[in-house]
């Protein structure tokens, strides 16, 4: 990385099942609070899985006017709220001079699913003539960075990765590359998701990918526990302000971390059954990109979805790369509290990793009561832990065998 332009994080924002801003979310994470409950947005009683990590009491009109809110799918509303928080924290003002050098990479795994479902009902009940002209712009994934760019006059690169549950991490990694190449000096990067709809939950339930622990939702997401039975869907958004290091220093910005390493790979094997080598290759690439030995990583925010196969596979991948150093790293899965935010997960978890780096506090994996014998790492079970950190890692692995890994470091 020494010959590349250094990219740093100067602002973060998040909306999650644990809070409508990053500070509230972080406080609840450290306290080991679950954001998962019975689905309230629709009647889930006919579904195998009736639980999710829903965002609570979110008012889009706090982040945009009423007319604008009506024209945007909830996943875009969440993205704009997270972006507004990140921009406020960064203190960045986009001048006319900066605008062509500032851009936005925000993706989503699924996009405007609720808009599709609602407008299908409109057509069936009232006919095509009642479709809103905003239907297509509401659901397009690239309208998340599009709307953010319009709000902040970002005239540089605008793009939306769509890579299932690795989307948020890919967005941050690719935005970092854009700055490193010299194509921009500032990028907003992240992911947003709101697929906890009847078809969204029903579709994943049909795959038998979701937990059916409907009677005790707070205990349903339990990564690495022998009693885990699938993941729990969540919703939310995370956005980071990335800047070229000298640009951030010149304006006196607070720097929270450096995006020091980025690795990406594909299993090229199966749409849902992961290999060990695919994720391991992404982890190795990220470490090489950061120019650090595996022993320098003190904390891994794992993908850790709470699926029987995925948790074992990630454990083996970490052991394959870290070797003896695997015994000294602390691993946790914040999905045990937020649920799985799909395309937003990588961005939100990058925010959590940076918070851990800055505060020296590792959020716990809750519900880890009977550790699976095949999952044999130090998973920071059930209570937050203090640890001074110099480098942390955030893993994201998605359907299709797509993998992304970020290394975040103190500056």
């Amino acid at each position: 990385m020494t010959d590349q332009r250094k990219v740093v994080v100067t602002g973060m924002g998040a909306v999650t099942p644990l809070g409508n801003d990053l500070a509230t979310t972080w406080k609840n994470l450290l306290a080991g609070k679950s954001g998962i409950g019975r689905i309230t947005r629709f009647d889930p009683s006919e579904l195998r899985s009736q639980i999710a990590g829903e965002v609570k009491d979110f008012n889009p009109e706090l982040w945009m006017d009423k007319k604008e809110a009506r024209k945007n799918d909830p996943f875009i509303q969440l993205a704009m709220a997270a972006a507004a928080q990140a921009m406020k924290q960064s203190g960045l003002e986009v001048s006319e001079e900066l605008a062509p050098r500032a851009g936005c990479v925000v993706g989503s795994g699924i996009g405007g699913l609720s808009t599709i479902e609602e407008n299908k009902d409109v057509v069936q009940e009232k006919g095509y003539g009642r479709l809103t002209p905003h239907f297509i712009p509401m659901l397009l994934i690239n309208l998340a960075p599009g709307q953010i760019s319009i709000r902040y006059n970002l005239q540089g690169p605008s793009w939306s990765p769509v890579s299932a549950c690795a989307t948020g991490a890919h967005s941050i990694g690719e935005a970092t590359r854009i700055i490193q190449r010299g194509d921009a000096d500032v990028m907003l990067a992240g992911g947003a998701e709101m697929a906890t709809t009847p078809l969204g939950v029903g579709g994943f339930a049909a795959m038998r990918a979701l937990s059916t622990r409907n009677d005790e939702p707070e205990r349903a997401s339990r990564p690495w526990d022998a009693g885990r039975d699938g993941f729990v869907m969540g919703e939310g958004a995370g956005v980071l302000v990335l800047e070229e290091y000298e640009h951030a220093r010149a304006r006196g910005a607070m720097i929270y971390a450096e995006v020091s390493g980025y690795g990406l790979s594909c299993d090229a094997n199966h749409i849902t059954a992961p290999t060990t080598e695919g994720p391991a290759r992404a982890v190795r690439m990220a470490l090489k990109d950061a120019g650090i030995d595996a022993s320098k990583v003190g904390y891994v925010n794992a993908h850790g979805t709470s699926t029987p196969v995925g948790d074992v596979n990630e454990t083996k991948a970490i052991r394959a790369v870290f070797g003896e150093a695997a015994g000294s790293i602390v691993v946790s899965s914040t999905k045990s509290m937020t649920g799985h935010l799909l395309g937003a997960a990588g961005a939100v978890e990058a925010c959590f990793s940076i918070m851990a780096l800055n505060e020296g506090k590792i959020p716990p994996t809750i519900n880890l009561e009977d550790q699976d014998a095949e999952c044999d790492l130090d998973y920071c079970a059930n209570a937050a832990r203090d640890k001074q950190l110099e480098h942390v890692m955030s893993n994201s692995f998605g359907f299709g065998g797509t993998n992304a890994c970020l290394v975040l470091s103190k500056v």
Side-chain angles (χ1 to χ4, degrees):
M1 295 284 284
T2 53
D3 295 333
Q4 295 175 328
R5 285 167 32 117
K6 183 183 291 188
V7 178
V8 296
V9 178
T10 58
M12 296 178 285
V15 181
T16 79
L18 291 172
N20 293 336
D21 58 68
L22 181 56
T24 304
T25 296
W26 181 244
K27 179 181 177 181
N28 287 327
L29 272 182
L30 293 181
K33 182 177 179 181
S34 172
I36 295 164
R38 183 175 172 82
I39 291 171
T40 62
R41 192 164 293 117
F42 62 93
D43 179 5
S45 56
E46 293 186 18
L47 295 173
R48 282 173 49 82
S49 181
Q50 300 165 8
I51 56 179
E54 293 180 314
V55 169
K56 301 160 187 70
D57 302 320
F58 177 75
N59 180 3
E61 293 176 27
L62 295 176
W63 308 100
M64 63 199 78
D65 63 38
K66 189 173 183 178
K67 185 177 180 181
E68 190 178 16
R70 281 203 308 269
K71 294 179 181 178
N72 286 293
D73 183 273
F75 92 95
I76 297 177
Q77 296 172 1
L78 295 171
M80 294 183 73
Q85 295 171 32
M87 285 294 285
K88 182 179 180 180
Q89 186 181 55
S90 76
L92 182 71
E93 297 289 337
V94 182
S95 64
E96 288 301 319
E97 181 182 9
L98 176 60
R101 301 284 302 165
C104 186
V105 178
V106 171
S108 179
I110 297 178
L113 187 57
S114 65
T115 293
I116 293 172
E117 293 180 25
E118 290 166 7
N119 281 273
K120 179 66 164 59
D121 291 342
V122 168
V123 169
Q124 286 185 325
E125 295 169 8
K126 301 177 182 178
Y128 288 101
R130 297 299 295 274
L131 274 176
T132 169
H134 305 296
F135 170 53
I136 296 299
M138 288 175 72
L139 65 90
L140 291 178
I141 291 175
N142 74 296
L143 262 291
Q147 292 286 8
I148 293 169
S149 295
I150 291 168
R151 169 69 59 83
Y152 298 105
N153 192 29
L154 311 176
Q155 300 176 18
S158 178
W159 183 38
S160 293
V162 179
S163 52
C165 308
T167 297
H170 275 137
S171 296
I172 295 167
E174 295 303 319
T176 298
R177 293 287 188 254
I178 287 170
I179 295 174
Q180 287 172 339
R181 287 199 305 267
D183 292 336
D185 296 320
V186 173
M187 293 294 296
L188 272 65
E193 202 75 83
M194 215 299 282
T196 44
T197 67
L199 281 182
V201 179
F204 281 108
M207 298 177 74
R208 298 185 181 272
L210 301 180
S211 171
T212 58
R213 201 180 287 260
N214 296 320
D215 294 334
E216 42 183 10
E218 296 86 0
R219 302 183 68 225
S221 183
R222 41 197 319 114
W224 305 299
D225 187 89
R228 66 192 186 282
D229 68 334
F231 74 84
V232 178
M233 289 182 67
E235 59 195 31
V239 174
L240 290 75
V241 175
L242 308 181
E243 286 189 67
E244 192 276 327
Y245 177 60
E246 295 298 340
H247 185 277
R249 284 192 62 193
R251 69 180 187 88
M254 176 71 185
I255 294 174
Y256 296 94
E258 177 188 0
V259 185
S260 57
Y262 171 46
L264 63 170
S265 69
C266 183
D267 294 359
N269 179 61
H270 189 274
I271 59 169
T272 57
T275 69
T276 298
E277 180 51 30
R281 192 161 50 251
V283 173
R284 287 193 193 96
M285 288 176 65
L287 289 170
K288 182 180 180 181
D289 192 38
I292 62 170
D293 182 80
S295 63
K296 302 296 183 184
V297 175
Y299 168 57
V300 175
N301 186 295
H303 188 56
T305 57
S306 184
T307 61
V309 173
D311 289 1
V312 172
N313 193 68
E314 185 171 16
T315 298
K316 290 180 177 177
I318 290 173
R319 283 216 170 271
V321 176
F322 283 76
E324 293 184 3
S328 61
I329 60 169
V330 181
V331 180
S332 75
S333 171
T334 44
K335 290 184 180 73
S336 61
M337 294 170 276
T338 64
H340 191 349
L341 274 58
L342 308 181
V348 167
E349 290 161 13
C351 292
F352 299 163
S353 300
I354 293 169
M355 293 297 289
L357 186 71
N358 279 271
E359 296 194 3
K361 293 185 179 298
I362 295 175
T365 304
I366 67 168
N367 301 321
L368 183 48
E369 298 162 340
D370 179 16
Q371 190 167 324
D372 185 336
E374 289 192 271
C375 301
D376 57 356
L377 298 171
D378 180 359
Y379 298 115
C380 192
N382 302 312
R385 193 182 304 178
D386 292 336
K387 183 175 181 178
Q388 294 306 306
L389 302 162
E390 294 296 324
H391 305 277
V392 299
M393 177 175 285
S394 183
N395 288 340
S396 297
F397 311 137
F399 281 176
T402 182
N403 309 299
C405 179
L406 299 169
V407 176
L408 304 148
S409 305
K410 281 187 175 176
V411 176

